[in-house]
Amino acid sequence: MIKEIKDIHRNFETKSECANRLHHWVEKNRRYTEEGTCASYIPALRHADPHQLGVCIIGHDGEIIKGGEADVVFTMQSVSKVISFMAVCLTHGLAYVLKHVDVEPTGDPYNSIMRLELKKPARPFNPMINAGAITVASLLPGVTKEEKFAGLLDVLEMLLGRRPSVDEAVFFSERETAHYNFALAHFLKAEGFLKCGVEDAIDIYLRQCAIEVTTEDLARIGLVLACDGYDPLCSKQVLPSELARLTKAVMLTCGMYNASGKFAAFVGAPSKSGVSGGIMTAVPPRRHKVTPFHNGCGIGIYSPAIDEAGNSAAGVKLLQHISAEWELSVF
Amino acid sequence: MIKEIKDIHRNFETKSECANRLHHWVEKNRRYTEEGTCASYIPALRHADPHQLGVCIIGHDGEIIKGGEADVVFTMQSVSKVISFMAVCLTHGLAYVLKHVDVEPTGDPYNSIMRLELKKPARPFNPMINAGAITVASLLPGVTKEEKFAGLLDVLEMLLGRRPSVDEAVFFSERETAHYNFALAHFLKAEGFLKCGVEDAIDIYLRQCAIEVTTEDLARIGLVLACDGYDPLCSKQVLPSELARLTKAVMLTCGMYNASGKFAAFVGAPSKSGVSGGIMTAVPPRRHKVTPFHNGCGIGIYSPAIDEAGNSAAGVKLLQHISAEWELSVF
Amino acid sequence: MIKEIKDIHRNFETKSECANRLHHWVEKNRRYTEEGTCASYIPALRHADPHQLGVCIIGHDGEIIKGGEADVVFTMQSVSKVISFMAVCLTHGLAYVLKHVDVEPTGDPYNSIMRLELKKPARPFNPMINAGAITVASLLPGVTKEEKFAGLLDVLEMLLGRRPSVDEAVFFSERETAHYNFALAHFLKAEGFLKCGVEDAIDIYLRQCAIEVTTEDLARIGLVLACDGYDPLCSKQVLPSELARLTKAVMLTCGMYNASGKFAAFVGAPSKSGVSGGIMTAVPPRRHKVTPFHNGCGIGIYSPAIDEAGNSAAGVKLLQHISAEWELSVF
Amino acid sequence: MIKEIKDIHRNFETKSECANRLHHWVEKNRRYTEEGTCASYIPALRHADPHQLGVCIIGHDGEIIKGGEADVVFTMQSVSKVISFMAVCLTHGLAYVLKHVDVEPTGDPYNSIMRLELKKPARPFNPMINAGAITVASLLPGVTKEEKFAGLLDVLEMLLGRRPSVDEAVFFSERETAHYNFALAHFLKAEGFLKCGVEDAIDIYLRQCAIEVTTEDLARIGLVLACDGYDPLCSKQVLPSELARLTKAVMLTCGMYNASGKFAAFVGAPSKSGVSGGIMTAVPPRRHKVTPFHNGCGIGIYSPAIDEAGNSAAGVKLLQHISAEWELSVF
């Protein structure tokens, strides 16, 4: 009984009530920033403020609520893998893309090279690990790296309504130390999975990692995915429904590095994280009608202290909290 | 326009119309039985009729539709891993269970031993691979193997309303050739993850694999999971909601062997398969209100010719078909 | 000049001078016992005196010199792998044996199971790792485990002139905790490489590990190998020359666990070690005529504190010392 | 009896008798060229004549015998790994070198990257696999790649009495397709084992692979190694004895790719092969005084059809034949 009454109450939560609750939850979960550390291999990431935690949620009807440091600009890093995957599917069709990268989760670390050697053909397991993302980068439309990168930006522009900029300092500093990625790219080239030169593939891949966004940007893309490719803010189908839904499936099974299984179990919403501390979450419409955002929403998170798996430590906790309160899980 | 009209039409599909459509889809997908072969290492499985394909769907309101050879009795095999996992969680609580088995997908074959050696501690990646299921079997309540197996049957009885029988011939013939499983069990014992003797753990595990069910049984359990642990047929919460939802998450990320990612992408409903050709699917209520079973349903499949990944070849195709038509995907 | 004079001097070292020097070297190297610890998984090994270091050298002409605790009785452990390998080669011929076990070194730990899964067929890499030795145990002549073990003892009796006893307490305590070995044996059985039951293979293998010897026993077998199968003490060819030489090659490339390469580089004499702290070394006749034992000798070492690789810590240092002084290396 | 008489006879074999016998054995073993194929990934190697088989033996006293196509010029390929390893040891001392590359055999393919990921620190197992050789190349004396390569040539010049040339066409064609090696180099760079840039390390490594030699060159280096660093042809100690002996040990345990163990067992002389079909063998003085070359010799082989392991198919067979006849084995 009590639960139902409480639920009904929730149903009538106003936007400002929701924002208040979100603000409260951000502060409550901020302490988990202590359980992570900023990625150290790139100066720009290393110098982020580890105590920051920001969130933005955009609902189906366009309502936006934010909490914490929601307006910090940060680089997409691995979140960009979702965009490049969709870009190549839009260009080549899914069937062609699946010949070059599978959509199976793997228990290996995201930058692991071992399985490329162990399993033949050496097709990367999924587009969310580095081997897969580098392969995907090479499949982008165009011949030169500039054209290919522009193809990626085109999709982002379609999703965000603006052409995002690249943090060149981050790009160059990542490129400096990208030896694991170069190792992957050369191995993939040797195995015939790279459709452009190694240097170009790495260049594109690292440049996409350095694209600058805010939590609102991530929330916006998440919303479009939540709505099966339909952008409710501009009332337009910007992505094919099938692609949007498949992308959510890949995010759920592979998006949170080696903690994807636990994230599916304890949060349950398709998400992709990056080492800069960003998380992009797509929350499809749910049957639990009495919770806010039950018609679906997109969520963007930023908190640069990342845990052992590479996911934003406080970001995961905050999502878990929101999911428990507002029923984000697809299960 | 046309799609909408079609959808509205669907909304009014009667049970008999649904059954007709299902019958039609079974016959259409039966040809995919040719793409698999019956598991050869157990005589009882080897001698199954490879052309059989049966399905049973039970809706939230108790309506049951069937198609093809839906009433064949077969052994649960790996589908039982879902039951034993829930049984140990009910006994020990999730936190304790997660110390012994993780819920992360792995790209390794289901009977792989390699990762137990590579990654320390050697905690199995998830309860859906053999290493995890054997560990789970050892965690069942009770001291003797009889007690432990009874603990598993108790949960099944709660779900099915009857105590299922065991195909002793299958059990003994599997035990005869269970050397890979014995290898896993001994390794797990050496690493401290097994909570009973090796012989007992294997005995319980193989006995659970030999439990006899029909597609209706699987559909019924799938329905309870779909309804977050609530059994609409007897109006009772038989499993804690949290456990049911977590179990669905594990099924989605890990339930279809090494094709779990593709199954999530192309079917999108939490499922678990077994080498006998059974698939148990839980379809949560969805927002696509105009499709049949939109309040959730359970699906049981049987088709013994399995594909390379170990999943029922025609069963997967049939589920893909139904999912496309009736929107089963959680994404 | 000085070196030559010194060498000439050495040429005239009497047996007692040699014994004196050996005694001196033992005491000098005894401190390296601190760099190891007794194997802890078997009570009988765990309770050995970690400061003991004993050595026995038997020359081609039968002269015996000893140093330190040379008369301690200890169990052969992995040194027995050399004997069982020779026993199966004597029975089946090398060609047949090589079908079941290769003679290639591997960089894996001695009890590793991973490569059996990675490389098909799962033929063990060499008879000096556990997978190989268990396979070899199953190939021993006879049907029952008693017959097979007797076949092994026959070869030992031929080499030692007496039938050695088994430390039943060690055997039973190893059997208690032999889960890694059971895992290997079941995996090998599954892959078709085991020529008897799993229990029997483990029983034989662990029983051979528990055979009791002294450093003099090891030196004696080492001498026969050094002399290409000829036993100078009883003037008899007890092993085919080809087998003795091949066995020495296998010992050199694979005999000292994962330190075999460094041992070849810094000692250079075919040797096999065991976790009880024994080392058996075969020193073929050398061209450096001015050193003692230049016509070949066998060396037995005992020092139960083993290093990380599983080799007697002080034993390896002592052999390195002797090799530098008396030119034991085949290179 | 008969064997002894035969042996005495051998003792008196003249150089021309030896040459006759060698000629005979070459023709007898030429058919094994059919069991291999020329390495296909480099045009220059692919176009070699697969039926060629040449051998040169140089004895301690300078006598040279040749058989077959002994005067073909071919590229050193992996045989050069021995030279670069010695060059860095001469420069830095063994202790320093061993910190960057171990001397342990591994069961992995020569170009495998997996173990660098599996085992930390990622120190290459030995200098005879590509990971080790690339690391060694980076350790060569000097700063620029030109200086480092010159350092390698210096050692070769010291050994051969002439500065060998490089087949630039082979170098460039290997560089074109060196993606596996680049993958290794980048991984090693990421792990801190490379002491120069990736491009330079690969450049040096591939250039050393393209150094042109004949079987006589290889025999000459083999002879110096056989004589513990002493060059009997110019009566000079050109390498420290310790280094020469250690190098022979590494060659024996690691020199013949993944067939090193079998080669040790069936030939028994320290050797290094290359994919161009060259084998360099060092035969230390032996105690079997009645065979030709009992004071040690060097052997160079050329036969470009290589077997699955990467070794000259007929070359290995010929060495096995010579070893059986003239007792080349150190065991």
Side-chain angles (χ1 to χ4, degrees), chain C residues 59-62 158-159 220 223-224 227-239:
Chain C
H60 182 269
D61 53 0
M158 186 171 69
L159 290 163
R220 189 144 181 202
L223 176 62
V224 172
C227 299
D228 293 355
Y230 181 81
D231 185 343
L233 304 195
C234 54
S235 307
K236 209 164 59 179
Q237 188 79 25
V238 292
L239 294 169

Coordinates of all heavy atoms in Angstrom, one line a residue, chain C residues 59-62 158-159 220 223-224 227-239:
Chain C
G59 N 81.9 -40.4 -10.0 CA 82.6 -40.3 -11.3 C 82.6 -41.6 -12.1 O 82.1 -42.6 -11.6
H60 N 83.1 -41.5 -13.3 CA 83.1 -42.6 -14.2 C 83.8 -43.8 -13.7 O 83.4 -44.9 -14.0 CB 83.8 -42.1 -15.5 CG 83.8 -43.1 -16.6 ND1 84.8 -43.9 -16.8 CD2 82.9 -43.3 -17.6 CE1 84.6 -44.7 -17.8 NE2 83.4 -44.3 -18.4
D61 N 84.8 -43.5 -12.9 CA 85.6 -44.7 -12.3 C 85.0 -45.1 -11.0 O 85.7 -45.9 -10.3 CB 87.0 -44.2 -12.2 CG 87.1 -42.9 -11.4 OD1 86.0 -42.4 -11.0 OD2 88.2 -42.4 -11.2
G62 N 83.9 -44.6 -10.6 CA 83.2 -45.1 -9.4 C 83.6 -44.3 -8.2 O 83.1 -44.5 -7.1
M158 N 66.8 -51.4 -11.8 CA 67.8 -51.6 -12.8 C 68.9 -50.6 -12.7 O 70.1 -50.9 -12.8 CB 67.2 -51.6 -14.2 CG 68.1 -52.0 -15.3 SD 67.1 -52.1 -16.9 CE 66.7 -50.4 -17.1
L159 N 68.5 -49.4 -12.4 CA 69.5 -48.3 -12.3 C 70.2 -48.2 -10.9 O 71.4 -47.9 -10.8 CB 68.7 -46.9 -12.5 CG 68.2 -46.7 -14.0 CD1 67.2 -45.6 -14.0 CD2 69.4 -46.3 -14.9
R220 N 73.9 -41.6 -8.9 CA 74.1 -42.9 -9.7 C 73.3 -42.9 -11.0 O 73.8 -43.3 -12.0 CB 73.7 -44.0 -8.8 CG 74.1 -45.3 -9.3 CD 74.5 -46.3 -8.4 NE 74.8 -47.5 -9.2 CZ 74.9 -48.7 -8.7 NH1 74.6 -49.0 -7.5 NH2 75.2 -49.7 -9.6
L223 N 74.9 -40.5 -13.4 CA 76.1 -41.1 -14.0 C 75.7 -42.0 -15.2 O 76.4 -41.9 -16.2 CB 76.9 -41.9 -12.9 CG 78.1 -42.6 -13.4 CD1 79.1 -41.6 -14.0 CD2 78.7 -43.5 -12.3
V224 N 74.7 -42.8 -15.0 CA 74.3 -43.7 -16.1 C 73.9 -42.9 -17.3 O 74.3 -43.2 -18.5 CB 73.2 -44.7 -15.7 CG1 72.7 -45.5 -16.8 CG2 73.7 -45.6 -14.6
C227 N 76.9 -41.4 -19.0 CA 77.6 -42.4 -19.8 C 76.8 -43.0 -20.9 O 77.0 -44.1 -21.3 CB 78.2 -43.5 -18.9 SG 79.3 -42.8 -17.6
D228 N 75.7 -42.3 -21.3 CA 74.9 -42.7 -22.4 C 74.3 -44.1 -22.2 O 74.1 -44.9 -23.1 CB 75.7 -42.8 -23.7 CG 76.1 -41.4 -24.2 OD1 75.7 -40.4 -23.6 OD2 76.9 -41.3 -25.2
G229 N 73.9 -44.3 -20.9 CA 73.1 -45.5 -20.6 C 74.0 -46.7 -20.1 O 73.5 -47.7 -19.7
Y230 N 75.3 -46.4 -20.1 CA 76.2 -47.4 -19.6 C 76.5 -47.2 -18.2 O 76.7 -46.1 -17.7 CB 77.6 -47.3 -20.4 CG 78.6 -48.3 -20.0 CD1 78.6 -49.6 -20.5 CD2 79.6 -47.9 -19.1 CE1 79.6 -50.5 -20.1 CE2 80.6 -48.8 -18.8 CZ 80.6 -50.1 -19.3 OH 81.6 -51.0 -18.9
D231 N 76.4 -48.3 -17.4 CA 76.6 -48.1 -15.9 C 78.0 -48.6 -15.6 O 78.3 -49.8 -15.6 CB 75.6 -49.0 -15.2 CG 75.8 -48.7 -13.7 OD1 76.8 -48.2 -13.2 OD2 74.8 -49.1 -12.9
P232 N 79.0 -47.6 -15.4 CA 80.4 -48.0 -15.3 C 80.6 -48.8 -14.0 O 81.6 -49.5 -13.8 CB 81.1 -46.7 -15.3 CG 80.1 -45.7 -14.9 CD 78.8 -46.2 -15.4
L233 N 79.6 -48.6 -13.0 CA 79.8 -49.3 -11.7 C 79.6 -50.8 -11.8 O 80.2 -51.6 -11.1 CB 78.9 -48.7 -10.7 CG 79.0 -47.2 -10.5 CD1 78.3 -46.8 -9.2 CD2 80.4 -46.7 -10.4
C234 N 78.7 -51.2 -12.7 CA 78.6 -52.7 -12.9 C 78.9 -53.1 -14.4 O 78.4 -54.1 -14.8 CB 77.2 -53.1 -12.5 SG 75.8 -52.2 -13.3
S235 N 79.6 -52.2 -15.1 CA 80.0 -52.5 -16.4 C 78.9 -53.1 -17.3 O 79.1 -54.1 -17.9 CB 81.2 -53.4 -16.4 OG 82.2 -52.9 -15.6
K236 N 77.8 -52.4 -17.4 CA 76.7 -52.9 -18.2 C 76.0 -51.7 -18.9 O 75.8 -50.7 -18.3 CB 75.7 -53.6 -17.2 CG 75.0 -54.7 -17.9 CD 74.3 -55.7 -16.9 CE 73.3 -55.0 -16.0 NZ 72.7 -56.0 -15.1
Q237 N 75.6 -52.0 -20.1 CA 74.7 -51.0 -20.8 C 73.3 -51.2 -20.3 O 72.6 -52.2 -20.7 CB 74.8 -51.2 -22.3 CG 74.1 -50.1 -23.1 CD 74.9 -48.8 -23.2 OE1 76.1 -48.8 -23.1 NE2 74.2 -47.7 -23.4
V238 N 72.8 -50.4 -19.4 CA 71.5 -50.6 -18.8 C 70.3 -49.9 -19.5 O 69.2 -50.2 -19.4 CB 71.4 -50.3 -17.3 CG1 72.3 -51.2 -16.5 CG2 71.9 -48.8 -17.1
L239 N 70.7 -48.9 -20.3 CA 69.7 -48.1 -21.1 C 70.3 -48.0 -22.5 O 71.5 -47.8 -22.7 CB 69.5 -46.7 -20.5 CG 68.8 -46.6 -19.2 CD1 68.9 -45.2 -18.7 CD2 67.4 -47.0 -19.2

